[in-house]
Amino acid sequence: MKADVMPKPQNMFQAYMLLFLISSGQIGVGIFGFQRIVGMHSDHDAWISVIVAGIVSHIVVGLMFWILSKHESADLYGIHQHLFGRWIGNGLSMVMMVYYVMVSVTIVRTYIELIQSWIFPTFPTWVLSMTLLLLAWYGITGGIRLIAGLSTISFFVILFFIGTLYISPIKYASWSHLLPIGETSPWAIMKGTISMGLTISGFESIFYIYPYIKDKSNGAKYAQYSLLFSNIIYLFMMIMGIVYFSKGQLTRSIWASTSMLKIVKLPFLERLEYIASSVWMFVVIPGLMIYIWVLGRGFKRMMGWKQRMMTPIICFVIFIGSLISQDREHIHMLSTFTGRCALFVVFLYPVVLFLFQTLILGIRDQSDKKGAAE
């Protein structure tokens, strides 16, 4: 397998589309309840944990683009083989793919729990799971450009809901809840940052969509812009959670963002949280599609299997996985475990890969120079 991927021109897109692709991968169902998890560790300084997590994500994305820049048009599957050989490289890629299956199952099951908690408590899990995955499968058949187009819709849905519907809770905000700033210990703030691992992840798709960018020189810039947008959204929602809820309320509110919508009243519509939870499917599905598309690319790159053939199989595996966890405790355990894996796969591994690539390419360059001199 060659490290470089040369897609057909009609399958490529401009770098500015990363604004939508990355944000749709980062902002999903986790935004409805991440405040409780972070607040349990960092208390009223949880917003500092969000900022620290955002800064770390910007650094990691910079390392990702540095790794990719050393190849003409490579994805992570090819880079693994180029650096570590066929067997070790494919083994590392398979580990990554297992993680993406876990994330996909977590996304599907968490969104279903949201719907069952707020709208249809007795609705069968398998029906909602099948609906999500069938829509994702149908969208993936259109390729990465269609996913990018749907991510654009997702981007504006996020802007609409965050920019308009969450303004009302500001009237009931108690800004004194943010004080005193910095009272929480550095270790507690770090634990809050670590708990943001799964919530803020999603930008690792850069490793796989990079070959499909036409103007690759602009990719890093737009990726950082997208990351900044996501980080601002998470920071805003975290601050809103702190100033709207009391300390005890925030740590007990599983779906804090949804709870804030309960006070929004429109002349023609009540119970806006029902609408928000349903429409948020347009945000969840593009992120889910990206992970399934990455998995399909993995089977095609490593084993030569057709992506169209593997996509329904991948969806079926995710469907079965989504049926295993049926109660809140199991879903929480799944999210916690996946979040811990995200710390290594999304944040730590790019740093390790950066060091390995620097070392290996440095050794190869020295060998080439020595061979040329002889």
Side-chain angles (χ1 to χ4, degrees):
M1 179 175 69
K2 296 181 179 179
D4 290 327
V5 181
M6 298 301 175
K8 296 178 181 179
Q10 62 267 28
N11 294 330
M12 301 178 73
F13 54 85
Q14 296 292 334
Y16 72 86
M17 293 300 293
L18 288 176
L19 281 169
F20 313 118
L21 277 165
I22 295 176
S23 61
S24 67
Q26 280 192 285
I27 301 176
V29 70
I31 200 171
F32 286 104
F34 78 101
Q35 297 99 322
R36 181 181 71 93
I37 305 299
V38 183
M40 288 173 62
H41 297 293
S42 305
D43 200 19
H44 61 277
D45 285 326
W47 62 276
I48 301 177
S49 296
V50 176
I51 292 176
V52 174
I55 292 172
V56 172
S57 64
H58 280 285
I59 295 172
V60 172
V61 166
L63 291 178
M64 287 180 175
F65 273 96
W66 188 92
I67 294 168
L68 292 165
S69 68
K70 298 302 177 181
H71 306 269
E72 181 181 353
S73 181
D75 61 6
L76 188 60
Y77 298 123
I79 292 173
H80 277 160
Q81 281 206 14
H82 179 68
L83 294 178
F84 304 107
R86 179 181 177 184
W87 296 108
I88 296 178
N90 284 350
L92 290 171
S93 295
M94 288 301 298
V95 171
M96 303 293 283
M97 292 172 68
V98 170
Y99 165 75
Y100 298 138
V101 171
M102 289 172 51
V103 174
S104 300
V105 171
T106 303
I107 291 172
V108 172
R109 193 62 191 89
T110 306
Y111 181 72
I112 292 173
E113 187 194 15
L114 173 68
I115 297 298
Q116 291 175 334
S117 298
W118 286 93
I119 306 178
F120 303 116
T122 60
F123 205 82
T125 299
W126 69 270
V127 175
L128 290 171
S129 178
M130 182 178 294
T131 301
L132 285 171
L133 291 168
L134 285 175
L135 290 172
W137 176 18
Y138 178 74
I140 292 169
T141 58
I144 188 63
R145 287 182 58 132
L146 178 60
I147 298 175
L150 292 174
S151 298
T152 306
I153 299 174
S154 167
F155 180 86
F156 287 105
V157 170
I158 294 169
L159 274 181
F160 172 76
F161 274 94
I162 303 299
T164 59
L165 302 184
Y166 285 98
I167 299 300
S168 294
I170 292 180
K171 296 183 296 184
Y172 304 94
S174 297
W175 297 99
S176 60
H177 290 176
L178 295 170
L179 302 175
I181 296 175
E183 183 183 43
T184 309
S185 68
W187 173 240
I189 290 175
M190 186 57 62
K191 288 175 68 176
T193 300
I194 291 172
S195 69
M196 281 286 295
L198 180 60
T199 302
I200 207 170
S201 66
F203 54 83
E204 66 274 14
S205 59
I206 293 168
F207 269 139
Y208 308 94
I209 63 181
Y210 179 79
Y212 293 84
I213 304 172
K214 289 182 179 179
D215 48 334
K216 292 179 174 56
S217 59
N218 294 323
K221 175 178 66 176
Y222 287 107
Q224 295 288 3
Y225 289 160
S226 180
L227 208 59
L228 180 62
F229 169 78
S230 301
N231 291 334
I232 290 174
I233 293 295
Y234 277 118
L235 178 60
F236 172 75
M237 296 303 296
M238 187 72 251
I239 292 176
M240 285 300 303
I242 295 172
V243 300
Y244 180 79
F245 296 99
S246 67
K247 177 181 176 181
Q249 288 175 327
L250 184 61
T251 54
R252 292 194 303 268
S253 299
I254 297 176
W255 306 104
S257 299
T258 313
S259 297
M260 282 190 282
L261 284 177
K262 293 175 68 174
I263 69 166
V264 181
K265 303 294 182 182
L266 299 177
F268 56 90
L269 183 65
E270 290 192 14
R271 303 308 299 266
L272 196 62
E273 68 272 17
Y274 289 1
I275 305 299
S277 301
S278 302
V279 174
W280 207 254
M281 182 183 292
F282 289 103
V283 178
V284 172
I285 287 181
L288 179 63
M289 289 168 60
I290 292 172
Y291 282 112
I292 298 174
W293 179 84
V294 167
L295 286 165
R297 289 293 303 170
F299 285 110
K300 181 177 181 180
R301 292 279 281 148
M302 291 189 295
M303 303 170 190
W305 298 344
K306 291 184 178 181
Q307 191 167 353
R308 285 181 176 271
M309 178 187 71
M310 292 307 302
T311 299
I313 298 175
I314 295 167
C315 289
F316 180 74
V317 171
I318 296 170
F319 172 75
I320 297 299
S322 68
L323 301 182
I324 295 175
S325 300
Q326 291 297 331
D327 55 48
R328 174 62 197 168
E329 183 180 354
H330 289 158
I331 297 169
H332 177 68
M333 290 173 59
L334 172 64
S335 299
T336 302
F337 181 73
T338 307
R340 291 173 180 172
C341 293
L343 293 176
F344 293 96
V345 174
V346 181
F347 293 93
L348 181 61
Y349 183 66
V351 178
V352 175
L353 187 62
F354 165 78
L355 296 174
F356 265 100
Q357 178 166 282
T358 303
L359 177 63
I360 293 173
L361 294 184
I363 293 173
R364 289 178 182 176
D365 287 342
Q366 291 295 327
S367 299
D368 292 341
K369 291 179 181 179
K370 185 177 180 180
E374 294 176 353

